[in-house]
Amino acid sequence: MTGDDRERSARRGRHRRLRVRLAFNPIAAPGGRLVVYGRLDRRPAPLPNAQSYPALTTCTYTLFEVTTDPQRLARGVAFVNAGLACGSLSPVIDRTFDLEDIAEAHLYMESNTQIDKIVVVVRH
């Protein structure tokens, strides 16, 4: 196991022990909230196995709720920029690929083995 693999494994273990009130994956404790996000399709989406989730409040979020409202978009951009500037938002990068390796990056994403963000670098 490489150092990167050990770090990924350690992060994966920490994620399994979390008990949170708000989750973006179905890991919340009973009484928590599940936010279904990342949908690009406006049609209703089923929640497979929803009956097996603990007693969660479930809500959905779509990209269009923010991007089609100029005021909400401006607030969102300002929030993210401020968080990045002060360090309260700090994305964790799992792996970085050059644009020339986009097929490999896509295969890695499809493998669903990443814990954090996959970044594709475009060099000028």
Side-chain angles (χ1 to χ4, degrees):
M1 183 181 283
T2 69
D4 287 344
D5 292 334
R6 280 191 293 278
E7 175 62 22
R8 238 188 317 276
S9 179
R11 286 193 311 253
R12 188 175 288 125
R14 283 195 304 268
H15 287 293
R16 286 191 186 124
R17 290 190 299 270
L18 291 176
R19 304 285 292 194
V20 297
R21 302 281 309 155
L22 172 65
F24 290 101
N25 285 307
I27 60 171
R33 179 181 295 180
L34 171 66
V35 178
V36 180
Y37 71 101
R39 292 181 40 225
L40 297 177
D41 191 332
R42 293 178 190 223
R43 293 175 295 178
L47 288 175
N49 302 316
Q51 70 278 5
S52 67
Y53 298 164
L56 298 177
T57 300
T58 304
C59 62
T60 59
Y61 165 81
T62 67
L63 176 68
F64 304 111
E65 292 175 35
V66 173
T67 59
T68 58
D69 180 335
Q71 290 178 333
R72 287 182 81 180
L73 180 58
R75 285 195 318 266
V77 168
F79 174 82
V80 170
N81 285 339
L84 292 171
C86 76
S88 64
L89 295 177
S90 56
V92 181
I93 298 171
D94 181 89
R95 197 159 164 199
T96 302
F97 294 87
D98 284 326
L99 182 59
E100 297 80 38
D101 301 319
I102 192 68
E104 183 184 350
H106 200 275
L107 287 172
Y108 184 64
M109 181 183 67
E110 287 179 339
S111 75
N112 205 26
T113 58
Q114 78 278 0
I115 299 295
D116 298 304
K117 301 299 178 195
I118 299 169
V119 175
V120 176
V121 177
V122 179
R123 301 188 194 283
H124 298 290

